[in-house]
Amino acid sequence: MGFVKGLKCKECDKTYPKKALHVCSFCFGPLEVDYEYEEIKKVISREKIESRQKNMWRYKELLPLDGEPTVGMQVGYTPLIKANNLAKKLGVDELYIKNDSVNFPTFSFKDRVVSAALSKARELGFDTVACATTGNLGNAVASQAVQGNFESYIFMPANLEQGKVIGTSIYGTNVIGIDGNYDGVNRMCSEIADKYGWAFANINIRPYYAEGSKTYGYEIVEQLGWKAPRHIVVPMAGGSLIIKIGKAIKEMAMLGLIDESDTTLYGAQASGSSPISTAVKNGWDHIKPVKPDTIAHSIAIGNPADGYYSIKAINESGGWAEDVSDEELVEGIKLLASTEGIFTETAGGVTVAVTQKLLEQGRIPRDEAIVISITGNGLKTLEAVLDKVEKPCVIKANIEEFNALMEKKEICTA
Ligand SMILES: *Cc1c(COP(=O)(O)O)cnc(C)c1O
Ligand SMILES: [Zn+2]
């Protein structure tokens, strides 16, 4: 069934076979999956996609497998919500939330990339999968490795939130905490991948992994009634998701699934780890690596693998990037929760707060449709809001005490 020709270097166009490769041996450029678009065009249609199950594999012609998926078949097709309350609060006409905080099975958009990566790892004959993670990727690899009967190894900075750590170790995987930040973990994992021959989701099989992110974009387009979003704000860690949303929309236009696309991409980072937004704001075409210092651990990457291409994608779309402080991101989490009833993690708080900032700056117009990308779940990063919400008031279990409370007309803080 597959439409994958092989891998192709993004820089020099040299082609490679469908193997666990990710860098060009000639120019060191990144490799990307190369599809037979002419053949896909002959078989794909809106009706065909709509007739399929509501999961990310309804777009299977545009995903990097030769056969059917074997891991994570239920991932994706998360809600796109018309966010009228938040729209009113932000003073905009038309606002949507793409809500991957309820993705299956581990409540973040990383379930998408892992379904693609592990299904590909199986095709390539691996029996051990691994990753370097800022949190959510580890959760997704550990969970789906169980489902696919893989052995798994997860490498993470030791200072991650409890929800991310327990949300990995609960699956019985091998968890290795590293004393250091993600960039150090990732460097070490490149060496481990070479020596041990495991499939590292975000390293040696990264070209296949990254393609899974496109489904976040396909779904938004389909859920908007086969229309590309006019403006979309996306959180950035390695910078892959924002690139792949842009690519997804372009592919749909090229294949005739939508008319045209004029989507503008906006990147969101935390100020304590903002190599990409800093580059965009300064007009640089390359990032300068930084040492992350933010509570937004899931997007705290100081030397992003796709930094260069994410800057390019943002600029080519006519977009912009911004970053916000830890205090602002907490306000972003609370704003989304109190307007739309959605509890997102720190990365989502960053995205909401950056959207607000870009509106205030006039970078995003208030009278055109905007999509905010919510990519993870707040129950995994409780530490971020622990002291930032009212404590429940505690009374005895009798009606008099409750009546007294109602008369005071104020919520006590215990
Ligand atoms: C990993 C992650 C991102 C960013 O992903 P990249 O593709 O590396 O830019 C955004 N949000 C959350 C919650 C993540 O876990
Ligand atoms: Zn090359």
Side-chain angles (χ1 to χ4, degrees):
M1 68 151 256
F3 295 90
V4 179
K5 279 198 268 189
L7 298 172
K8 191 164 148 187
C9 174
K10 258 183 120 153
E11 285 302 315
C12 74
D13 284 348
K14 184 173 162 41
T15 56
Y16 291 83
K18 296 177 232 181
K19 290 201 175 140
L21 296 167
H22 70 300
V23 269
C24 177
S25 46
F26 285 78
C27 75
F28 301 106
L31 303 183
E32 193 174 33
V33 177
D34 190 18
Y35 296 89
E36 309 256 16
Y37 285 114
E38 286 310 311
E39 297 304 311
I40 296 174
K41 199 166 182 172
K42 287 181 201 158
V43 299
I44 206 165
S45 67
R46 291 182 186 181
E47 294 69 33
K48 193 165 193 175
I49 293 167
E50 283 167 351
S51 74
R52 292 177 178 156
Q53 302 252 321
K54 290 196 161 142
N55 61 60
M56 64 178 260
W57 293 99
R58 66 206 262 111
Y59 314 101
K60 62 182 179 179
E61 287 85 354
L62 292 158
L63 291 169
L65 301 185
D66 291 336
E68 295 291 328
T70 52
V71 185
M73 282 83 82
Q74 299 83 2
V75 174
Y77 219 83
T78 55
L80 181 80
I81 293 138
K82 182 118 196 295
N84 292 334
N85 296 335
L86 182 57
K88 206 164 156 198
K89 198 97 183 179
L90 295 177
V92 303
D93 291 348
E94 196 180 350
L95 185 67
Y96 300 88
I97 303 288
K98 175 61 173 173
N99 188 11
D100 261 18
S101 76
V102 290
N103 209 355
F104 175 84
T106 67
F107 311 106
S108 89
F109 102 88
K110 292 297 198 308
D111 289 318
R112 301 175 184 273
V113 285
V114 169
S115 175
L118 267 52
S119 291
K120 193 66 199 181
R122 167 107 328 124
E123 284 189 353
L124 294 170
F126 287 98
D127 52 22
T128 301
V129 293
C131 69
T133 180
T134 57
N136 286 313
L137 181 60
N139 297 168
V141 170
S143 163
Q144 294 191 45
V146 169
Q147 198 213 344
N149 292 304
F150 288 99
E151 183 77 20
S152 65
Y153 289 83
I154 313 294
F155 299 83
M156 56 170 63
N159 71 345
L160 292 187
E161 304 91 341
Q162 242 187 27
K164 299 281 170 71
V165 178
I166 296 171
T168 297
S169 46
I170 193 70
Y171 301 109
T173 179
N174 304 290
V175 192
I176 298 99
I178 311 288
D179 178 18
N181 59 36
Y182 173 83
D183 299 285
V185 177
N186 195 48
R187 253 193 320 276
M188 181 190 76
C189 285
S190 299
E191 293 178 48
I192 296 173
D194 285 344
K195 182 167 155 82
Y196 289 80
W198 300 335
F200 268 82
N202 52 337
I203 302 176
N204 54 348
I205 57 168
R206 187 175 179 87
Y208 309 101
Y209 149 99
E211 287 291 289
S213 286
K214 293 192 303 186
T215 62
Y216 191 86
Y218 299 144
E219 289 175 17
I220 293 170
V221 170
E222 185 181 347
Q223 289 168 319
L224 285 172
W226 298 101
K227 235 177 95 219
R230 179 64 193 85
H231 304 277
I232 181 163
V233 190
V234 186
M236 305 185 292
S240 178
L241 176 62
I242 193 166
I243 297 169
K244 295 293 179 173
I245 291 173
K247 179 179 177 186
I249 294 167
K250 282 195 184 136
E251 283 179 334
M252 288 179 115
M254 175 184 37
L255 294 168
L257 292 168
I258 54 174
D259 287 343
E260 97 280 9
S261 72
D262 58 353
T263 304
T264 309
L265 305 169
Y266 303 86
Q269 296 205 291
S271 301
S273 180
S274 56
I276 305 175
S277 64
T278 301
V280 170
K281 290 196 283 184
N282 284 295
W284 307 333
D285 56 8
H286 283 84
I287 61 112
K288 288 188 188 153
V290 300
K291 210 168 172 189
D293 179 17
T294 170
I295 60 168
H297 295 288
S298 61
I299 51 171
I301 297 185
N303 189 10
D306 291 301
Y308 170 75
Y309 293 102
S310 56
I311 296 166
K312 212 167 142 198
I314 291 167
N315 287 336
E316 281 175 6
S317 77
W320 196 245
E322 256 303 347
D323 46 86
V324 291
S325 69
D326 287 358
E327 291 73 33
E328 289 171 307
L329 84 80
V330 168
E331 289 309 309
I333 294 174
K334 290 169 77 172
L335 180 60
L336 183 64
S338 62
T339 53
E340 296 300 330
I342 295 169
F343 185 15
T344 187
E345 68 148 74
T346 47
V350 165
T351 312
V352 171
V354 162
T355 304
Q356 191 165 17
K357 202 163 190 174
L358 291 168
L359 285 164
E360 281 160 10
Q361 292 172 352
R363 292 267 176 197
I364 306 179
R366 293 175 187 275
D367 59 350
E368 293 179 348
I370 305 162
V371 176
I372 297 180
S373 307
I374 294 302
T375 49
N377 193 300
L379 291 171
K380 293 196 204 178
T381 62
L382 291 175
E383 290 90 338
V385 291
L386 199 57
D387 303 318
K388 309 287 173 25
V389 290
E390 295 278 343
K391 300 274 185 297
C393 45
V394 179
I395 58 172
K396 299 239 164 57
N398 65 55
I399 187 79
E400 288 75 24
E401 288 222 5
F402 182 69
N403 289 342
L405 188 71
M406 291 305 283
E407 265 162 41
K408 268 204 304 185
K409 289 205 180 340
E410 63 182 38
I411 301 285
C412 61
T413 48

